[in-house]
Amino acid sequence: MSIHIVALGSECPGGVGPGDGGPAQGQLQGSLLWSYLGHGAVPGGRDVEGTLSGGGVPGRHPLNSAFMEYQSRVFGDVRVVVQDCPSWDLLDSDWAGVRSVLEQADIVVIKYSVNDKLAFQQVRNVYAPRLRPLLRHWGVPVILVAVGARLNDEGPPCTCPLCASDWTSCVPHGEGLQLSRDLGATYLELPSLNNYFVGRYFGSVLEYFVIQCLKQKAKERPDKRRGYRMNEPRPPHLEQPARLPPVRVEESSFCQDMQWLLERGVQFADVAFYAGESGKELGWAHAAVLCAVSPYFRQLLGARGAWERPVSQCACREREGPHSLLSTWDGGLEDPPRPEGHLPGRLSRLVVKDPLLCVCLWETLMFLYRGAWEWEYLEEAVEVKLKSPVAVAQLMDRVRSFVSREKGPRDTPTPRQTGPQTLGSLFNSPLYSDVIFMVQGSVLPAHRAVLVARCDVMAAMFSGKYAEARSRVVPIHGVSSDTFLSFLEYLYTDSCCPASVLQAMAVLVCAEMYQVKRLQHLCEVCVCAYLQSMPSRELASTGISVIRLLRRAKCHNADQLYVWLLHFIANNYLIFSHKPDFLELSDEERDQVERLRWPSRGYLQELSEYQQRRRQLRKSRCSIM
């Protein structure tokens, strides 16, 4: 009989480099397995006779040159063949060859030095995930050995920040133990490679697994001699379940929606810009969007009391600086004529005193509305109009002052890089709100401009001849307050994170009610992610009815979720087929689930025949004996 041992890793700090071509003979003779097989002692008084092949010189493995191969004999007549690969980097060049060597292994020994933390992290993060499924599939015993003495083993680590301890360079005991649990290995720590530790600790564990392997091979030998294994039926092959169909989400249209609001949402504008010299009207904007993006506009438009008309006020308090660009002006005159269909209400008039800003006001507003992050596009658009690099640089500095954070006396303004999360500060905030939703007794403030830009149904509701267009308080029926709040959060932030499957389905129904397709797709992705993350035991005992989720998905036009749930039920057929609501499937749906079911009927039939043949074979063996 022979036992094949595959050793991976180095017990020396630093190991063997990728270009070293394997360890020298002196390095190998100082290794763990060589020390045990050459002159180690097995507990019980029996000496291990080490007869190394090739005159004591290890040779290369024929399948993979990264492994050094040598032999020894234990227990008198048991041959031990060792394939040792001290460098993990050598495994990357020929993984197929490494796998062929591991397939022949009876015992796997993984070694590392406790004083080489970088090598340990490479093993834990790179190579252990690749070895784990193979070792668990083959059922090979694994021994994880940590070699070396830590400098701070005499006591607990010092917590003083000035103490230069070696905990950053040594592998703690807990990390090695966790790696052994991940690999399903037996964990050992050897302070040194002397005869006592190698023979007493490592030798005892290795001897135990050698004896177990010998017993297993002894059981298989009579079967091979009598030829029973040749006649035994082979188990049927179980195919992998079909891959679930992907759920695709549309690209975000947040920037396009805000651009539409600036170009066509003049009906809900409440800020008018005028040239400082000529008094010509330059454009319209929305105070809520400007204040959400720019601290400068927040200070300029939000300094007054809520919705109060001030007496003539000017924000130009500094001769130089951002405040000299714009100023609010209201001399008690009547509001200027508004565009057709414009709602009555508060109007802020801003005087643009900077000539460069007057020329490029539209490009600046477009930059602010699209999220204040497309600096390159803004600079290109400004260059087309100004034609002067100096003027472009001056205007870019003034735009940066719009989106800079509030600064103290010693701080300099720094531009913010914002995106779809720009309007997050306005979500569920009464600041600048012009509409209030009443949902199940809850008061949810909102802004018509944002709602109109982000939702077509809201645009029709607030722009037409409906009662909502003339009322400040709008009741909402058929939706819970939490669900409608999540719906509003998506409109402001372009993101949605439901807390559960049921909450995601409720938001999906609300999104279908208001025709927000992208939010509906995001909810479909959330439902799929929650269900797919459930283990089989939780899926079998959960109170969530997947069949009813299927019904609701079909009822509310969630086509992607409907198809995905059909495949999900088919992939977990043995779980859902025993539930009472499985009978609620239509004939067409049941036919599709039966066609996609896993495991298939053919496999279950082959498995039944295989088990029956094995029982008959066992009875025939008993009768022969």
Side-chain angles (χ1 to χ4, degrees):
M1 287 189 183
S2 61
I3 300 296
H4 293 263
I5 301 177
V6 175
L8 302 174
S10 175
E11 53 275 272
C12 301
V16 180
D20 294 344
Q25 180 180 355
Q27 293 176 348
L28 189 58
Q29 289 182 355
S31 64
L32 175 63
L33 286 167
W34 188 291
S35 301
Y36 170 73
L37 297 175
H39 54 274
V42 177
R46 294 174 294 178
D47 294 335
V48 178
E49 177 186 359
T51 57
L52 301 173
S53 64
V57 180
R60 295 289 184 182
H61 192 274
L63 298 179
N64 195 313
S65 59
F67 288 86
M68 303 298 296
E69 181 175 345
Y70 52 92
Q71 301 180 9
S72 179
R73 289 192 177 274
V74 297
F75 306 136
D77 58 346
V78 178
R79 185 168 63 100
V80 177
V81 181
V82 180
Q83 287 95 25
D84 198 338
C85 180
S87 177
W88 289 96
D89 296 333
L90 297 177
L91 302 184
D92 294 330
S93 58
D94 187 13
W95 175 249
V98 173
R99 180 166 179 167
S100 62
V101 174
L102 289 173
E103 288 179 353
Q104 306 297 327
D106 297 316
I107 302 173
V108 176
V109 179
I110 299 177
K111 307 166 291 180
Y112 69 90
S113 172
V114 297
N115 297 311
D116 193 350
K117 194 167 186 177
L118 293 178
F120 173 82
Q121 292 174 347
Q122 184 182 15
V123 174
R124 179 186 61 188
N125 301 331
V126 179
Y127 299 105
R130 301 170 64 180
L131 292 173
R132 186 186 304 116
L134 299 179
L135 298 176
R136 291 185 178 180
H137 177 69
W138 293 329
V140 180
V142 183
I143 305 175
L144 182 64
V145 185
V147 181
R150 303 182 184 89
L151 300 179
N152 47 16
D153 273 347
E154 64 273 5
C158 180
T159 58
C160 175
L162 302 178
C163 179
S165 62
D166 65 334
W167 278 88
T168 57
S169 60
C170 295
V171 181
H173 170 80
E175 294 186 9
L177 187 61
Q178 182 61 38
L179 178 60
S180 67
R181 292 172 180 172
D182 295 340
L183 295 174
T186 301
Y187 181 65
L188 293 176
E189 284 193 358
L190 303 180
S192 65
L193 294 181
N194 57 27
N195 296 340
Y196 177 79
F197 290 107
V198 173
R200 181 70 179 272
Y201 294 102
F202 176 73
S204 301
V205 176
L206 185 64
E207 181 188 21
Y208 169 78
F209 287 119
V210 168
I211 293 175
Q212 297 300 319
C213 292
L214 292 176
K215 289 182 178 180
Q216 183 66 26
K217 292 187 176 184
K219 293 180 180 179
E220 296 176 356
R221 288 183 64 184
D223 295 340
K224 292 181 179 179
R225 184 169 57 249
R226 296 173 186 172
Y228 284 137
R229 294 187 63 86
M230 298 294 296
N231 298 328
E232 282 190 358
R234 293 185 178 181
H237 178 66
L238 178 62
E239 298 289 343
Q240 293 294 326
R243 182 173 296 181
L244 295 172
V247 178
R248 306 188 184 278
V249 181
E250 298 177 357
E251 294 185 1
S252 174
S253 61
F254 183 87
C255 295
Q256 292 78 3
D257 295 340
M258 301 310 296
Q259 180 176 346
W260 177 92
L261 177 62
L262 179 62
E263 294 175 347
R264 304 180 184 179
V266 186
Q267 179 181 356
F268 300 93
D270 51 2
V271 177
F273 291 90
Y274 297 90
E277 297 180 356
S278 62
K280 178 183 177 182
E281 181 182 317
L282 299 177
W284 297 74
H286 307 81
V289 178
L290 294 178
C291 294
V293 179
S294 171
Y296 171 73
F297 281 101
R298 193 180 309 127
Q299 181 180 2
L300 190 65
L301 298 175
R304 298 173 292 175
W307 314 124
E308 293 181 0
R309 276 189 180 276
V311 187
S312 185
Q313 178 182 2
C314 180
C316 181
R317 300 178 182 177
E318 301 177 10
R319 190 169 185 180
E320 299 293 339
H323 291 290
S324 63
L325 303 177
L326 298 170
S327 65
T328 58
W329 176 74
D330 195 338
L333 300 177
E334 296 181 358
D335 288 343
R338 303 192 180 192
E340 183 180 356
H342 199 295
L343 295 177
R346 172 181 179 268
L347 177 66
S348 299
R349 291 181 292 176
L350 300 182
V351 179
V352 183
K353 298 184 292 184
D354 183 74
L356 296 179
L357 191 59
C358 284
V359 176
C360 301
L361 179 64
W362 178 259
E363 287 76 14
T364 303
L365 292 178
M366 184 67 68
F367 169 73
L368 296 176
Y369 269 67
R370 289 179 64 88
W373 60 277
E374 298 176 341
W375 292 94
E376 296 180 358
Y377 297 99
L378 173 63
E379 189 172 3
E380 293 176 0
V382 169
E383 288 176 353
V384 174
K385 280 196 172 183
L386 298 182
K387 307 293 184 181
S388 171
V390 178
V392 171
Q394 292 178 357
L395 182 61
M396 293 297 293
D397 290 339
R398 292 163 188 173
V399 175
R400 288 189 181 93
S401 67
F402 286 159
V403 297
S404 62
R405 298 185 179 92
E406 294 82 348
K407 59 182 186 301
R410 297 183 180 180
D411 298 334
T412 57
T414 56
R416 297 185 296 179
Q417 298 293 335
T418 59
Q421 67 273 20
T422 305
L423 300 180
S425 59
L426 296 179
F427 167 64
N428 200 21
S429 172
L431 187 64
Y432 302 107
S433 65
D434 53 0
V435 62
I436 295 176
F437 292 104
M438 298 296 298
V439 189
Q440 290 185 341
S442 300
V443 178
L444 305 179
H447 307 78
R448 295 176 189 264
V450 179
L451 303 178
V452 168
R454 299 284 288 144
C455 178
D456 294 338
V457 175
M458 292 282 188
M461 183 172 64
F462 290 120
S463 304
K465 298 181 180 179
Y466 300 100
E468 292 83 357
R470 300 181 301 272
S471 176
R472 181 174 174 82
V473 179
V474 177
I476 300 295
H477 305 285
V479 180
S480 66
S481 58
D482 293 338
T483 301
F484 195 76
L485 192 64
S486 300
F487 172 72
L488 291 179
E489 183 180 8
Y490 168 78
L491 297 183
Y492 280 83
T493 63
D494 202 49
S495 62
C496 179
C497 299
S500 63
V501 175
L502 299 180
Q503 178 68 14
M505 286 300 300
V507 178
L508 185 147
V509 173
C510 184
E512 193 264 342
M513 182 188 307
Y514 289 95
Q515 296 298 308
V516 183
K517 255 335 214 187
R518 185 172 183 271
L519 176 58
Q520 192 172 0
H521 294 165
L522 290 175
C523 294
E524 290 177 347
V525 171
C526 291
V527 172
C528 297
Y530 283 130
L531 292 178
Q532 203 167 6
S533 63
M534 287 186 180
S536 300
R537 181 175 300 177
E538 183 180 356
L539 196 62
S541 59
T542 183
I544 301 175
S545 175
V546 179
I547 308 298
R548 296 179 182 175
L549 293 181
L550 182 72
R551 298 267 70 79
R552 295 187 67 184
K554 185 177 182 179
C555 179
H556 295 283
N557 301 318
D559 299 332
Q560 294 188 100
L561 180 60
Y562 177 76
V563 175
W564 189 91
L565 288 175
L566 280 178
H567 284 75
F568 184 73
I569 294 171
N571 285 1
N572 299 273
Y573 184 86
L574 298 180
I575 295 177
F576 293 110
S577 60
H578 294 85
K579 293 193 174 184
D581 54 3
F582 186 77
L583 301 177
E584 299 178 7
L585 292 175
S586 64
D587 296 338
E588 183 181 356
E589 294 169 346
R590 193 172 302 177
D591 293 341
Q592 188 173 357
V593 169
E594 290 290 343
R595 180 173 56 85
L596 300 172
R597 61 174 291 180
W598 183 87
S600 62
R601 288 184 177 274
Y603 171 79
L604 295 179
Q605 184 176 359
E606 293 178 2
L607 181 62
S608 178
E609 295 175 356
Y610 165 75
Q611 294 174 347
Q612 185 177 2
R613 287 197 299 268
R614 282 187 58 86
R615 287 193 294 267
Q616 293 176 356
L617 185 60
R618 290 177 182 176
K619 292 181 180 179
S620 62
R621 288 181 185 176
C622 295
S623 61
I624 292 176
M625 291 179 64

